[in-house]
Amino acid sequence: MVEALEEKHILFFKNLLGNRIQVGSTIESHYASDHTEDFVFYPSIVLKPETAEEVSFIMKYCYEYDLIVTPSGARTGLSGGALANYGGVLLSLERMNKIIQIDEENHQVTTEPGVVTEALQNAVKAVGLFYPPDPASKGSCFIGGNIAENSGGPKAVKYGVTKDWVLNLEIVLPNGDVMWTGANVIKNATGYNLTQLIIGSEGTLAVVTKIVLRLIPHPTHHLLLLVPFRSGVEACEAVGKIFMAGIIPSGLEYMDRDAIIFTTPYVDDAPNLLKDDHDAHLLIELDGFNLDVLMQECEKIMELVEQYDIDEILFAETEAQKESLWRLRRKIGECVKTHSIYKEEDTVVPRNELPKLLKKVKELEKKYGFKSVCYGHAGDGNLHVNIIRDHLSEDVWNNQLPIAIRELFTEVVRLGGTISGEHGIGLVQTPYMDLAFSEVGLNLMRSIKQVFDPKNILNPGKVLPVKKI
Amino acid sequence: MVEALEEKHILFFKNLLGNRIQVGSTIESHYASDHTEDFVFYPSIVLKPETAEEVSFIMKYCYEYDLIVTPSGARTGLSGGALANYGGVLLSLERMNKIIQIDEENHQVTTEPGVVTEALQNAVKAVGLFYPPDPASKGSCFIGGNIAENSGGPKAVKYGVTKDWVLNLEIVLPNGDVMWTGANVIKNATGYNLTQLIIGSEGTLAVVTKIVLRLIPHPTHHLLLLVPFRSGVEACEAVGKIFMAGIIPSGLEYMDRDAIIFTTPYVDDAPNLLKDDHDAHLLIELDGFNLDVLMQECEKIMELVEQYDIDEILFAETEAQKESLWRLRRKIGECVKTHSIYKEEDTVVPRNELPKLLKKVKELEKKYGFKSVCYGHAGDGNLHVNIIRDHLSEDVWNNQLPIAIRELFTEVVRLGGTISGEHGIGLVQTPYMDLAFSEVGLNLMRSIKQVFDPKNILNPGKVLPVKKI
């Protein structure tokens, strides 16, 4: 049961925000969940500020009264970072949804955090500019959430992740102080990089209230190929070969057989892709400003993959076909979930270690008797391993799987990788943080958290595991 | 006078490092200076460790005995970050100069910090790979120093700065603890971004002992243009136009008339560029994998700049000509210094604000009676303003100029920029940090410093101004 908030606190927030609050039983159920497994945690109150000033007032008040605050965007997260698992205040940034300024001359955009990522991309595209990071949830996630989790997406392989596009952030500290972390410039050697410290901190250090992003000219052409492999491990090997040839695709996605089986029924116009002997597919996108160059690269890629045991390559002829293939890719997570609750592991290794990682997954499946669906951003070594619940017993799910996951992550770290590429640590991955960082590193992070949030009121219990005594 | 180190400390270091130390009068003079103005600060001892383990031993010892340590690379810095202005230990990383592994398959390199940046670039180029950041001092600076200062250089406009290429760092904390900050992957959403916190922290938080950098395929072609403008302000305006046309050059450098006058005599094969009516030049580089595409972009740029009042464009025909033009550009700072000591301001603004910044510099020159040489990375709004000492009186140099610089930086911040683009704050820019950050921001940074270095023994007095009471 969620603890009810004292009446005086409710009154304060009502005075500040009017009807932009929800309390107790009036709280809509979507505020209690994100996209992580099947968690449900109701906050005591939902607050919907519209300005940094209001966020500052809220934080000042909560700081004074030791009220726990969980910042929340669109709650599409996959690690539980925006879940109000201690109750308290859910600070929803949904009303801070304005694009403040598109600066065409300097190739920058200033936005509030509650803007849907795809809406932001479309707005800047309308003036010929490009904001590349596009997580699978781009149609519903907020740009503020992307900052919190340092989101990636398919284009990261060529264009980098969210952190590579952020110039400056306006933040509200847990005590209510408001500040800018940097400046609106590409080059900045002025003081410690607070901007980068905030990105990926999953709302545990500060609340982001304004964002300045850099942009580039929007590519004018893109090509898309789908390559069916008879061996998933060979598909992973081909990924490395493409890069070794000096080509940097704007997307290089891996989908195993089950990913396509689970997803095809839910995508209306999905092509009937799968043949009996297909083990995995690579979806390969090229983008740029010169179609001839792209066609040359495309031919080179075809030559490379034809050295493996593949079936016929599908070259997307129309925009509609491209869209449909991308929709298929983007919907995998959602469709697997429709079938069964799952634990989604967001492993990432140096690109050429992918075959080893995939072998390890198969080995663990046998050893622990679970089934997984594997897909993801092969181009940057980021493999999503969805372990599906299906008919697994309570005991296996709760007690055996954490051991299997620990074994998986141990291998990931041994291969030079880490335990989350783009989903964050949030609530569900904290027990594994000791694999990614030594106690020295974890203690540094704990002390940094303490600097920003000495009362531990902002999204406590996320990112950092409890210190062993 | 430098305080002598107690005999027992000297003995400890001798036991640890053998002849890899210099003490007292045996200290060579180059250890007392970097490239900042004419500062000379002798350390009490110079230590030259060869392994992270030795660095750890040294830091443990210094931590125990409260000995001040200044990490030092090649001392090519322009803000005094590696000056031992409190005496104590100068920790020279010069012997940690091995490239540990070039991972061709994953496009990564692991290196020690004492490798000269150009040597690293050449080593990876030999296998077709590219590490883009190339500060003007690339022939002598160390990659470790580039990490410390978050160095930029001409290619930043297309490829970003040092921070955009670092995947992972091995660091030694002030208390001697050794740790890795991240993982060897492009995507990482695992915990706070300690890697980015260390980059640009100018050796005040930790000593970097190993570096993992990402690489990309090396471009196969590059073109170089030199465009003489009759108005420097128009040259700055043209910069914005090039980007607005959707072209991203791999270099876009601004050199004012005086920069060329000062430099030409010192570059043997410098072309005789300057005519009486030239006010400024733009040096424009394009790189890529397809010569036809580059030639098309080149023609587009020519069309754009021909809309301004320019003289004949020089298109570099040979590699030797390209080299000579770049040498001219790279040597400006050094040549101006040969003429006279100067204060180098490293202003950076959003690209299209450059004309306003240039006008402000000219206005301040008149108001305060100084002469400056302006040049830099116009493509990313980074203008170096070298205020030359010449015949300025002691009073103007020491008392008037700081006021002028404060006025300049105030305008820079007003335009959305900041006080250092790539040289860092180091020793000389700390008095101006209050213009870039509010006291809230500075206090956060001070607390972070305290977390890493509670005894304030690692490069104290750099980056952060003393707190006002």
Side-chain angles (χ1 to χ4, degrees):
Chain A
M1 263 317 294
V2 177
E3 215 176 318
L5 216 56
E6 277 181 55
E7 205 48 52
K8 68 170 179 185
H9 298 324
I10 297 172
L11 209 63
F12 172 85
F13 293 128
K14 222 173 236 168
N15 280 336
L16 182 68
L17 300 173
N19 63 358
R20 288 181 280 122
I21 71 172
Q22 291 185 8
V23 199
S25 62
T26 75
I27 295 176
E28 294 166 66
S29 62
H30 61 89
Y31 288 111
S33 294
D34 65 0
H35 289 188
T36 313
E37 300 181 31
D38 53 353
F39 293 117
V40 177
F41 293 107
Y42 273 88
S44 310
I45 191 166
V46 177
L47 304 181
K48 305 177 196 174
E50 286 180 347
T51 63
E53 206 185 1
E54 284 181 354
V55 173
S56 171
F57 277 134
I58 291 167
M59 290 313 306
K60 259 194 187 70
Y61 187 86
C62 293
Y63 191 80
E64 187 178 339
Y65 290 99
D66 290 316
L67 303 179
I68 285 175
V69 178
T70 306
S72 168
R75 289 175 304 286
T76 58
L78 293 163
S79 58
L83 292 174
N85 55 314
Y86 289 106
V89 173
L90 190 84
L91 187 69
S92 172
L93 282 312
E94 68 195 275
R95 305 282 286 242
M96 296 180 67
N97 61 358
K98 280 179 293 299
I99 297 174
I100 297 167
Q101 192 208 1
I102 299 174
D103 179 348
E104 290 182 57
E105 295 200 338
N106 288 307
H107 292 186
Q108 297 179 2
V109 59
T110 304
T111 181
E112 291 184 332
V115 174
V116 170
T117 304
E118 193 171 38
L120 184 76
Q121 288 179 320
N122 290 340
V124 302
K125 190 179 177 185
V127 296
L129 293 172
F130 187 33
Y131 174 71
D134 58 346
S137 57
K138 68 174 180 178
S140 51
C141 65
F142 290 170
I143 185 71
N146 295 176
I147 305 282
E149 301 298 319
N150 190 18
S151 304
K155 296 210 191 302
V157 62
K158 177 169 178 178
Y159 293 105
V161 295
T162 303
K163 85 170 186 6
D164 301 307
W165 296 87
V166 182
L167 298 178
N168 202 358
L169 296 172
E170 183 193 67
I171 59 174
V172 178
L173 296 173
N175 69 1
D177 283 344
V178 186
M179 61 169 284
W180 282 93
T181 57
N184 299 355
V185 289
I186 297 168
K187 278 171 143 177
N188 192 337
T190 310
Y192 302 151
N193 200 331
L194 299 178
T195 310
Q196 293 290 333
L197 188 59
I198 297 299
I199 299 166
S201 67
E202 311 194 45
T204 65
L205 299 181
V207 182
V208 173
T209 48
K210 284 193 195 78
I211 300 156
V212 183
L213 301 166
R214 74 181 177 93
L215 306 167
I216 51 174
H218 202 291
T220 45
H221 299 90
H222 56 286
L223 302 180
L224 194 64
L225 293 178
L226 186 77
V227 188
F229 283 77
R230 297 201 174 85
S231 150
V233 171
E234 278 195 11
C236 289
E237 283 167 12
V239 166
K241 287 286 183 297
I242 291 169
F243 287 91
M244 295 290 285
I247 300 170
I248 302 184
S250 55
L252 215 177
E253 299 289 305
Y254 175 91
M255 300 181 282
D256 77 1
R257 183 175 176 82
D258 287 326
I260 293 180
I261 291 176
F262 277 116
T263 311
T264 309
Y266 298 98
V267 178
D268 284 347
D269 55 354
N272 196 357
L273 293 170
L274 211 63
K275 295 194 192 150
D276 285 349
D277 60 348
H278 291 177
D279 190 32
H281 285 73
L282 289 184
L283 186 65
I284 308 172
E285 188 194 71
L286 295 166
D287 75 359
F289 295 88
N290 187 305
L291 191 56
D292 294 339
V293 173
L294 295 185
M295 289 304 289
Q296 285 165 25
E297 289 186 348
C298 194
E299 277 163 32
K300 211 163 164 187
I301 289 176
M302 284 166 144
E303 277 169 35
L304 286 169
V305 294
E306 274 161 4
Q307 293 166 19
Y308 295 92
D309 185 14
I310 62 168
D311 197 6
E312 208 175 330
I313 298 171
L314 174 69
F315 180 92
E317 300 279 355
T318 63
E319 282 309 301
Q321 210 174 5
K322 288 177 194 168
E323 253 314 298
S324 140
L325 286 173
W326 272 118
R327 204 173 307 123
L328 183 77
R329 164 59 191 90
R330 288 186 184 282
K331 276 189 164 272
I332 296 172
E334 199 181 319
C335 294
V336 176
K337 199 168 186 174
T338 306
H339 170 85
S340 161
I341 292 305
Y342 64 80
K343 287 189 193 291
E344 176 152 359
E345 306 312 329
D346 176 35
T347 57
V348 59
V349 292
R351 180 196 301 143
N352 271 43
E353 307 293 351
L354 261 185
K356 283 183 205 155
L357 174 55
L358 205 62
K359 279 178 201 162
K360 185 71 184 179
V361 174
K362 301 292 163 197
E363 180 196 318
L364 292 173
E365 282 189 350
K366 269 186 208 152
K367 181 169 170 185
Y368 291 92
F370 64 84
K371 185 174 168 58
S372 77
V373 178
C374 291
Y375 63 99
H377 316 295
D380 31 43
N382 185 197
L383 189 76
H384 301 316
V385 183
N386 290 10
I387 303 172
I388 59 182
R389 172 83 196 238
D390 249 355
H391 309 299
L392 291 180
S393 72
E394 197 82 10
D395 173 57
V396 172
W397 185 251
N398 290 330
N399 305 319
Q400 291 297 304
L401 271 192
I403 299 169
I405 292 169
R406 186 160 267 275
E407 203 173 327
L408 175 64
F409 284 162
T410 302
E411 175 70 359
V412 161
V413 171
R414 196 188 66 79
L415 293 171
T418 193
I419 68 175
S420 175
E422 54 180 22
H423 295 170
I425 300 305
L427 182 63
V428 296
Q429 306 296 16
T430 53
Y432 308 105
M433 274 291 271
D434 63 308
L435 295 171
F437 289 98
S438 65
E439 202 59 17
V440 170
L442 291 176
N443 282 338
L444 270 184
M445 292 186 199
R446 288 180 183 118
S447 302
I448 290 169
K449 165 73 173 164
Q450 173 84 7
V451 163
F452 281 79
D453 185 17
K455 292 178 128 186
N456 198 26
I457 59 162
L458 192 64
N459 218 359
K462 309 286 170 65
V463 183
L464 297 169
V466 177
K467 194 167 174 168
K468 284 172 193 157
I469 307 171
Chain B
M1 264 317 293
V2 177
E3 216 178 316
L5 216 56
E6 277 182 56
E7 205 47 51
K8 69 169 179 185
H9 299 324
I10 297 173
L11 208 63
F12 173 85
F13 293 128
K14 224 174 236 170
N15 279 336
L16 183 68
L17 302 173
N19 63 358
R20 287 181 279 122
I21 70 171
Q22 291 185 7
V23 198
S25 61
T26 75
I27 296 176
E28 292 167 66
S29 63
H30 62 89
Y31 288 112
S33 294
D34 65 359
H35 288 188
T36 314
E37 300 183 30
D38 52 355
F39 293 117
V40 177
F41 293 106
Y42 273 88
S44 309
I45 191 166
V46 177
L47 303 181
K48 304 177 196 174
E50 286 181 347
T51 63
E53 207 185 2
E54 285 182 353
V55 173
S56 170
F57 278 133
I58 292 167
M59 290 312 307
K60 260 194 187 71
Y61 187 85
C62 294
Y63 191 78
E64 188 179 339
Y65 290 99
D66 289 315
L67 302 180
I68 284 175
V69 178
T70 306
S72 167
R75 290 175 305 286
T76 57
L78 292 162
S79 58
L83 292 174
N85 55 314
Y86 289 106
V89 173
L90 191 83
L91 187 70
S92 173
L93 282 311
E94 68 194 275
R95 305 280 288 243
M96 296 180 66
N97 59 358
K98 282 179 291 298
I99 296 175
I100 297 168
Q101 193 207 3
I102 299 174
D103 179 348
E104 290 181 57
E105 294 199 339
N106 288 307
H107 291 186
Q108 296 178 5
V109 59
T110 304
T111 181
E112 291 184 332
V115 174
V116 170
T117 305
E118 194 171 38
L120 184 77
Q121 288 179 320
N122 290 340
V124 303
K125 191 180 176 185
V127 295
L129 293 173
F130 187 32
Y131 174 71
D134 58 346
S137 57
K138 68 174 179 178
S140 51
C141 65
F142 290 171
I143 186 70
N146 296 175
I147 305 283
E149 301 298 318
N150 190 18
S151 303
K155 297 212 190 301
V157 61
K158 178 168 178 181
Y159 293 105
V161 295
T162 302
K163 85 169 184 11
D164 300 308
W165 297 87
V166 182
L167 298 177
N168 202 359
L169 296 171
E170 182 192 67
I171 59 173
V172 178
L173 296 174
N175 69 1
D177 283 345
V178 185
M179 61 170 284
W180 283 93
T181 57
N184 299 355
V185 290
I186 297 166
K187 279 170 140 177
N188 191 337
T190 309
Y192 302 152
N193 199 331
L194 299 180
T195 310
Q196 294 289 332
L197 188 59
I198 297 300
I199 300 167
S201 67
E202 310 194 43
T204 64
L205 299 181
V207 182
V208 173
T209 48
K210 282 193 196 76
I211 301 156
V212 184
L213 301 167
R214 74 181 178 96
L215 305 167
I216 50 173
H218 202 290
T220 45
H221 299 89
H222 55 288
L223 303 179
L224 193 64
L225 294 177
L226 185 77
V227 189
F229 283 78
R230 298 202 173 85
S231 150
V233 171
E234 279 195 9
C236 290
E237 283 168 12
V239 167
K241 287 285 183 299
I242 292 169
F243 287 92
M244 295 289 286
I247 300 170
I248 303 184
S250 55
L252 216 177
E253 299 289 303
Y254 175 92
M255 301 180 279
D256 77 1
R257 182 176 178 79
D258 286 326
I260 292 179
I261 290 177
F262 276 115
T263 311
T264 309
Y266 298 97
V267 179
D268 284 346
D269 54 351
N272 196 357
L273 294 169
L274 209 66
K275 294 195 193 149
D276 284 351
D277 61 347
H278 292 176
D279 190 31
H281 285 73
L282 289 184
L283 186 66
I284 308 171
E285 189 193 69
L286 295 166
D287 75 359
F289 295 87
N290 187 304
L291 191 57
D292 294 340
V293 173
L294 294 186
M295 289 304 288
Q296 284 165 27
E297 289 186 347
C298 194
E299 277 164 33
K300 212 165 164 187
I301 289 176
M302 284 167 145
E303 277 170 34
L304 286 169
V305 293
E306 274 162 3
Q307 293 165 19
Y308 295 92
D309 185 12
I310 62 167
D311 198 3
E312 209 176 328
I313 298 171
L314 175 69
F315 181 90
E317 300 280 355
T318 63
E319 282 309 300
Q321 208 174 8
K322 288 176 194 168
E323 254 313 299
S324 139
L325 285 173
W326 271 118
R327 204 172 307 126
L328 184 77
R329 165 60 192 86
R330 287 187 186 281
K331 277 192 163 268
I332 297 173
E334 199 181 318
C335 293
V336 176
K337 200 169 186 174
T338 305
H339 171 84
S340 162
I341 291 305
Y342 63 79
K343 286 186 192 294
E344 176 151 359
E345 306 311 330
D346 176 36
T347 57
V348 58
V349 292
R351 181 194 301 143
N352 271 44
E353 306 294 351
L354 261 187
K356 282 183 205 154
L357 174 56
L358 205 62
K359 279 178 200 161
K360 186 69 182 182
V361 174
K362 300 292 164 197
E363 181 195 317
L364 292 173
E365 282 190 350
K366 271 188 208 151
K367 183 169 167 186
Y368 291 93
F370 65 82
K371 184 173 171 57
S372 78
V373 178
C374 291
Y375 62 100
H377 315 296
D380 31 40
N382 186 197
L383 190 75
H384 301 317
V385 183
N386 290 10
I387 302 173
I388 58 181
R389 171 85 196 239
D390 250 354
H391 308 298
L392 291 180
S393 71
E394 196 82 7
D395 174 58
V396 171
W397 186 251
N398 290 329
N399 305 318
Q400 291 296 304
L401 272 191
I403 300 170
I405 293 168
R406 186 160 267 275
E407 203 174 326
L408 174 65
F409 284 161
T410 303
E411 176 70 359
V412 162
V413 171
R414 195 188 67 80
L415 293 171
T418 193
I419 68 174
S420 175
E422 55 180 20
H423 295 169
I425 299 306
L427 182 64
V428 296
Q429 306 297 16
T430 52
Y432 309 104
M433 276 290 272
D434 64 306
L435 294 171
F437 289 98
S438 65
E439 201 58 20
V440 171
L442 291 176
N443 283 337
L444 272 184
M445 292 187 201
R446 288 180 184 118
S447 302
I448 290 169
K449 165 72 174 166
Q450 173 85 9
V451 163
F452 281 79
D453 185 17
K455 292 178 128 188
N456 200 27
I457 59 161
L458 192 64
N459 218 359
K462 308 289 169 65
V463 183
L464 298 168
V466 177
K467 194 167 175 170
K468 282 172 194 156
I469 307 170

